[in-house]
Amino acid sequence: MNATMSLENIKHYPVMLNQVLSIISPQHGGTFIDCTFGGGGYSQAILKFSGTKVFAIDRDKLAQKYADLLLKKFPKRFNFFQEKFSNLDKLTEQKLNPKAIIFDLGLSSFQLSDKKRGFSFKSDKFLNMEMGINEYSAYNTINTLDKEYLAKIIKILGEEKDGKIIANKIARYRDKKPIQTSAELALIINKAKKNYGNYKKNPATKTFQAIRIFVNKELTELILGLIEAAKLLSNGGILAVVSFHSLEDKIVKNFFSLYSKQRKNPSRYLPIEENKNNLFNFFLKKPIIADVKEIRSNVRSRSAKLRYAIRNDNTFFYPSEFKNKFVNYLKLEEGNLW
Ligand SMILES: C[S@@+](CC[C@H](N)C(=O)[O-])C[C@H]1O[C@@H](n2cnc3c(N)ncnc32)[C@H](O)[C@@H]1O
């Protein structure tokens, strides 16, 4: 079996596709930026409408295979860049005036199920967890990072209360020999957790999330990606984000609520019409979630939250308050380790 064939055998379901399409309405044409191309589910659905153009981005070079299929089919209306979405501004020098910019965060089914990538607990291959364009792998992180720093990462990025206990256990193991595979790491974490047989999910879930987020600097990417997207959108442009865990959703929600017109006037002495301290007109406070039917057919959609906001005509200003609010995540992911 060749690589392409094996890739195509994995089923991939774009999460909340119908809801995303009804928000961005590609049937009326326009230019769209798909910041997380993955298997191309969203891009393909947009390109089905003849008046559309799609600029797609993914940091994973594996995504190129799927992009090539769309490039063949829509050579004039589709472009793909293997890049991180925090570099959105580098790719789009010309004034694109996108109708919508979309983020569907996290991992694709292809990344998750590819054992060589090391994202799954069962992977007996190299402890990698890199999405693409990384500075270090999970192997480097787990085997060389200072124990206290590791505990912090597990606690904050994994929201794992036993961060310290797990980091201690990892440190004891790696003193004897390097931890080579994800399966080995999962076992060590399981042993560090009390009553690990009683958990509904694998007890290593939160720690794996933390390591993956750190290795890929996912929160930094999201913070910078949202800022770049707001910069690129003009009046009426839509910013839509599908997130999968509470840290991501907290960042998206804060960005929209800090910079939407619904925010209370910072000073009651400032007339509302002079308040240019926002970037979005409209923002739904409650996220949109997948319906029961979708959750039944695709369990991944269970934790998905879709939020969107509509850009207003205020001139872009750098959203320092937002960046400052999450500076701890930025610092934590900076690492400065090696
Ligand atoms: C959930 S999948 C997207 C699935 C896609 N919507 C579809 O329908 O096929 C997320 C994708 O985003 C990519 N990704 C995650 N973080 C990224 C970043 N900072 N820059 C660019 N791509 C990123 C991952 O490599 C992965 O392929």
Side-chain angles (χ1 to χ4, degrees):
M1 192 185 283
N2 67 35
T4 320
M5 276 172 74
S6 63
L7 280 172
E8 280 160 1
N9 283 343
I10 299 162
K11 269 239 179 307
H12 177 75
Y13 304 92
V15 168
M16 283 202 269
L17 177 64
N18 291 336
Q19 292 91 326
V20 169
L21 292 179
S22 77
I23 289 164
I24 64 171
S25 48
Q27 67 275 20
H28 304 307
T31 299
F32 296 82
I33 303 182
D34 179 353
C35 288
T36 48
F37 178 77
Y42 288 0
S43 286
Q44 187 167 14
I46 296 168
L47 286 163
K48 278 192 184 145
F49 298 97
S50 58
T52 59
K53 270 189 180 168
V54 173
F55 283 75
I57 300 168
D58 202 296
R59 64 190 291 176
D60 190 347
K61 62 173 186 286
L62 198 78
Q64 183 72 52
K65 288 178 195 286
Y66 299 97
D68 286 345
L69 299 174
L70 289 187
L71 278 167
K72 228 178 183 176
K73 228 169 149 183
F74 306 103
K76 295 214 173 98
R77 298 197 285 122
F78 179 65
N79 277 286
F80 176 77
F81 306 90
Q82 195 217 333
E83 235 326 330
K84 293 192 282 189
F85 53 59
S86 56
N87 289 328
L88 201 54
D89 62 330
K90 282 197 201 148
L91 310 175
T92 48
E93 284 147 35
Q94 70 274 52
K95 192 92 188 85
L96 271 184
N97 192 17
K99 189 169 173 191
I101 302 183
I102 312 139
F103 294 80
D104 174 18
L105 302 169
L107 292 173
S108 68
S109 339
F110 310 114
Q111 290 167 325
L112 253 174
S113 51
D114 183 352
K115 288 207 172 157
K116 289 196 291 297
R117 310 293 292 264
F119 290 114
S120 109
F121 309 119
K122 290 185 190 145
S123 170
D124 55 0
K125 299 282 184 315
F126 183 62
L127 185 52
N128 179 321
M129 296 198 196
E130 293 169 52
M131 284 184 182
I133 324 180
N134 293 69
E135 289 162 42
Y136 36 82
S137 65
Y139 178 87
N140 304 132
T141 307
I142 287 294
N143 287 297
T144 56
L145 196 60
D146 171 74
K147 189 171 74 178
E148 274 71 41
Y149 207 110
L150 193 57
K152 232 180 180 177
I153 287 171
I154 298 172
K155 189 156 184 247
I156 298 171
L157 301 183
E159 299 182 285
E160 165 62 87
K161 64 175 175 28
D162 294 330
K164 218 170 171 176
I165 303 172
I166 293 170
N168 280 336
K169 195 92 171 172
I170 289 172
R172 246 178 284 138
Y173 263 83
R174 73 186 185 189
D175 280 349
K176 287 178 234 143
K177 74 170 204 43
I179 301 164
Q180 306 268 9
T181 70
S182 302
E184 210 179 336
L185 176 64
L187 201 67
I188 295 166
I189 301 164
N190 283 351
K191 284 183 184 159
K193 295 284 288 181
K194 271 194 210 132
N195 308 323
Y196 73 85
N198 298 341
Y199 287 80
K200 269 193 202 148
K201 283 185 184 169
N202 189 312
T205 304
K206 290 180 173 182
T207 306
F208 266 54
Q209 173 186 305
I211 304 299
R212 191 199 91 193
I213 291 177
F214 178 73
V215 166
N216 295 291
K217 301 189 176 190
E218 289 179 42
L219 304 185
T220 306
E221 277 296 307
L222 178 57
I223 292 164
L224 302 182
L226 291 174
I227 296 175
E228 289 306 320
K231 199 196 287 177
L232 208 64
L233 287 167
S234 42
N235 192 16
I238 299 160
L239 176 50
V241 189
V242 180
S243 67
F244 290 89
H245 57 75
S246 58
L247 299 182
E248 285 173 346
D249 187 53
K250 186 165 77 178
I251 291 170
V252 179
K253 187 179 171 189
N254 264 280
F255 185 55
F256 287 165
S257 59
L258 277 173
Y259 298 106
S260 88
K261 275 192 175 160
Q262 285 135 288
R263 187 186 183 180
K264 283 201 189 101
N265 218 18
S267 158
R268 64 196 163 104
Y269 302 109
L270 194 66
I272 302 269
E273 47 292 344
E274 278 177 30
N275 177 12
K276 293 279 179 193
N277 200 13
N278 55 57
L279 296 165
F280 301 102
N281 272 332
F282 172 76
F283 152 61
L284 260 188
K285 290 237 161 80
K286 245 182 139 181
I288 301 165
I289 53 171
D291 57 37
V292 182
K293 202 170 147 218
E294 180 171 3
I295 294 173
R296 249 188 243 133
S297 61
N298 178 15
V299 70
R300 201 177 111 76
S301 66
R302 193 177 48 195
S303 42
K305 289 200 170 95
L306 166 60
R307 293 187 187 272
Y308 71 100
I310 301 174
R311 185 77 167 84
N312 59 27
D313 61 357
N314 283 346
T315 309
F316 178 80
F317 57 88
Y318 199 82
S320 314
E321 188 182 348
F322 167 62
K323 207 170 162 189
N324 291 341
K325 192 160 188 171
F326 294 109
V327 75
N328 286 347
Y329 292 152
L330 298 172
K331 280 193 179 151
L332 191 63
E333 288 187 348
E334 245 170 45
N336 293 329
L337 317 163
W338 297 281

